[in-house]
């Protein structure tokens, strides 16, 4: 059974800092890995998707890397801003009979203070 | 209008009552999912449907049932609600024809069972 763990559970940083969120998964037979953002009282917004054959994806100040063999992904946020405050979730999609279903981590609550 | 609409957004009910959460989408996606989110636990898959005639149990289907009334509609029912079903429920859709299984989430339905 796939298990996804995110570290740290919560992170508070001053504005302008670069930061790294970590995600690990137990079964390396994944189809892809996604990072989501969740704002309070709202749904999830997909930030980045990395296919299993890829090493990283970038969007603006966000960079996500994937090391499938070691079961790890990191989300790097450059020059953090208060508007980045949210919960960040990673999720993996399995192959085979698990294709199309996501297994989520418990999330990292990020607070960026001015 | 939102691509994925969930109703109701908030519901308070009593133990033993039957509850239906509804989801409709305008994205034309084949696949629809119901997840529940509990504090500190991430999202867990309840049921998913790959097309109108296909319904599959997820990780935590006990106590729930679903109906895929049309390609655009997927409802979740709690036949006899219990307090540990208090959670935030999300509907999501995806289109595998795109090849990446990127999920689009609704805004969530917060259910409280007293």
């Amino acid at each position: 059974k796939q298990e996804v763990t995110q570290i740290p559970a919560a992170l508070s940083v001053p504005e302008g800092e670069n930061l790294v969120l970590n995600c690990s998964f137990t079964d390396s037979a994944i189809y892809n890995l996604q990072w989501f953002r969740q704002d309070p009282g709202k749904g999830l917004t997909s930030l980045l998707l990395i296919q299993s054959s890829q090493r990283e994806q970038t969007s603006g100040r966000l960079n996500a890397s994937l090391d499938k063999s070691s079961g790890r992904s990191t989300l790097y946020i450059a020059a953090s801003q208060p508007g980045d405050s949210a919960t960040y979730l990673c999720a993996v999609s399995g192959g085979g009979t698990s294709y199309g279903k996501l297994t989520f981590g418990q999330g990292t609550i990020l607070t960026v203070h001015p | 209008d939102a691509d994925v609409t969930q109703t109701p957004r908030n519901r308070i009910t009593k133990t033993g009552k039957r509850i239906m959460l509804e989801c409709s989408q305008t994205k034309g996606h084949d696949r629809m999912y119901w997840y529940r989110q509990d504090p500190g636990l991430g999202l867990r898959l309840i049921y998913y449907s790959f097309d109108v005639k296909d319904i599959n149990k997820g990780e935590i289907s006990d106590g729930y049932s679903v109906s895929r009334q049309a390609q655009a509609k997927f409802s979740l029912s709690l036949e006899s609600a219990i307090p540990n079903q208090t959670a935030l429920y999300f509907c999501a859709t995806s289109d595998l024809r795109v090849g990446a299984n990127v999920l689009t989430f609704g805004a969530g339905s917060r259910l409280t069972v007293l």
Side-chain angles (χ1 to χ4, degrees):
Chain A
K1 178 187 170 185
Q2 179 74 271
E3 292 183 0
V4 180
T5 303
Q6 291 187 242
I7 295 173
L11 183 63
S12 180
V13 300
E15 182 177 7
E17 272 203 9
N18 302 323
L19 56 97
V20 174
L21 307 181
N22 297 291
C23 173
S24 62
F25 47 95
T26 55
D27 186 350
S28 62
I30 65 170
Y31 181 69
N32 59 42
L33 182 144
Q34 298 182 55
W35 282 94
F36 294 87
R37 169 185 173 135
Q38 183 178 20
D39 293 287
K42 298 191 177 181
L44 280 68
T45 301
S46 181
L47 297 173
L48 291 165
L49 180 146
I50 311 176
Q51 299 287 5
S52 61
S53 59
Q54 298 175 323
R55 297 285 292 185
E56 66 178 334
Q57 283 286 334
T58 298
S59 176
R61 294 182 293 108
L62 305 180
N63 176 275
S65 67
L66 174 64
D67 183 343
K68 203 174 85 161
S69 61
S70 68
R72 294 181 182 179
S73 175
T74 60
L75 179 66
Y76 176 82
I77 302 177
S80 59
Q81 303 171 357
D84 294 329
S85 298
T87 298
Y88 291 81
L89 295 149
C90 74
V92 297
S93 177
T97 57
S98 298
Y99 187 64
K101 299 181 293 182
L102 297 186
T103 302
F104 283 81
Q106 73 276 33
T108 293
I109 302 171
L110 173 65
T111 303
V112 181
H113 47 88
Chain B
D1 289 340
D3 293 323
V4 182
T5 302
Q6 293 184 231
T7 56
R9 293 292 314 279
N10 289 284
R11 181 72 183 269
I12 300 173
T13 190
K14 294 182 178 179
T15 297
K17 294 291 187 181
R18 184 178 188 274
I19 296 296
M20 180 180 287
L21 305 180
E22 298 184 337
C23 177
S24 62
Q25 53 121 340
T26 58
K27 297 189 72 69
H29 285 172
D30 302 317
R31 301 188 168 201
M32 298 187 74
Y33 310 79
W34 276 104
Y35 287 88
R36 71 176 273 177
Q37 184 178 34
D38 298 277
L41 292 180
L43 277 74
R44 292 178 292 167
L45 183 62
I46 306 172
Y47 270 96
Y48 61 103
S49 169
F50 285 175
D51 64 44
V52 175
K53 296 180 181 179
D54 176 80
I55 302 289
N56 302 280
K57 292 182 178 180
E59 181 184 352
I60 52 164
S61 59
D62 288 348
Y64 302 94
S65 62
V66 291
S67 174
R68 184 83 183 264
Q69 300 96 323
Q71 187 201 33
K73 296 184 183 294
F74 192 38
S75 60
L76 176 72
S77 293
L78 289 68
E79 297 301 325
S80 180
I82 56 176
N84 74 3
Q85 291 178 312
T86 293
L88 184 57
Y89 291 84
F90 286 104
C91 175
T93 72
S94 70
D95 183 357
L96 267 186
R97 289 173 296 175
V98 179
N101 197 40
V102 176
L103 266 63
T104 301
F105 281 83
S109 296
R110 184 169 295 283
L111 176 65
T112 302
V113 183
L114 302 177

